[in-house]
Every structure is written in C-alpha cells, then in structure tokens.
Amino acid sequence: VNYKKVCLHVHRQGALLERRLLQLATFFRKSAWDERGFYVHTAKRAELSRARTQCKGRCEASSDARLLGKALCGLPRHPDSPPPDVVA
C-alpha cells in the first residue's frame, strides 16, 4: 500500500512540475528564423522544452510503475486461485 502511495505522490508532483514548465515556457515564446530559413526556438525555450519532455516521460513511467505494483498487490495468495486478467 505504501509503495502505491509513493508512486501516486511522485506522479502527481511530476504532473505539477510539468505544468509549471509549460507555463514558464510561454514566457520564452519568441523564436526566429535562421539563415537557412528554418524556424528556431530560443535556447531557453529549447531547454525548457527538453526538461518538460523528460518530466513527462518520468511521469508516464511512474504511472506505469504504480499500475504494475497495483496489479501485483492484487494477485491472489492462494495457489489454486486463477491469476487475474492483468497478469495472464
């Protein structure tokens, strides 16, 4: 039970951080065209975008870990009981 709570807390904190990074990135919305005619973001916006992408990936991983832990905790303890559909 504690492991699932920790995973849920990590996921929620990550989601809040991801939202804050998204809001912060709006302040660096200015972008420019380079000499080849490509649209390029500022260095600060690119850095924030990479951080947000990493945060989003870690949020998804923590959610997956929680769901896996939840499925494992729900396994029957008696050997004659059939496994749930999640594990089969």
Side-chain angles (χ1 to χ4, degrees):
V1 174
N2 289 335
Y3 176 74
K4 292 188 300 183
K5 287 286 185 185
V6 167
C7 287
L8 181 63
H9 180 72
V10 166
H11 177 70
R12 286 183 178 167
Q13 291 298 315
L16 287 173
L17 179 61
E18 182 186 350
R19 180 177 166 86
R20 289 180 187 145
L21 286 171
L22 177 65
Q23 291 173 340
L24 185 60
T26 59
F27 289 107
F28 300 99
R29 186 76 177 150
K30 294 181 181 179
S31 299
W33 297 94
D34 69 353
E35 62 276 353
R36 295 173 293 169
F38 292 110
Y39 190 69
V40 180
H41 294 296
T42 60
K44 187 56 106 172
R45 182 174 169 89
E47 181 182 356
L48 286 169
S49 294
R50 279 192 302 275
R52 181 174 170 255
T53 302
Q54 289 177 356
C55 184
K56 184 174 178 118
R58 291 178 181 146
C59 282
E60 295 297 323
S62 66
S63 177
D64 290 346
R66 181 175 183 268
L67 291 176
L68 179 63
K70 195 172 182 178
L72 291 175
C73 288
L75 287 175
R77 288 172 175 59
H78 196 273
D80 294 336
S81 300
D85 293 335
V86 177
V87 179

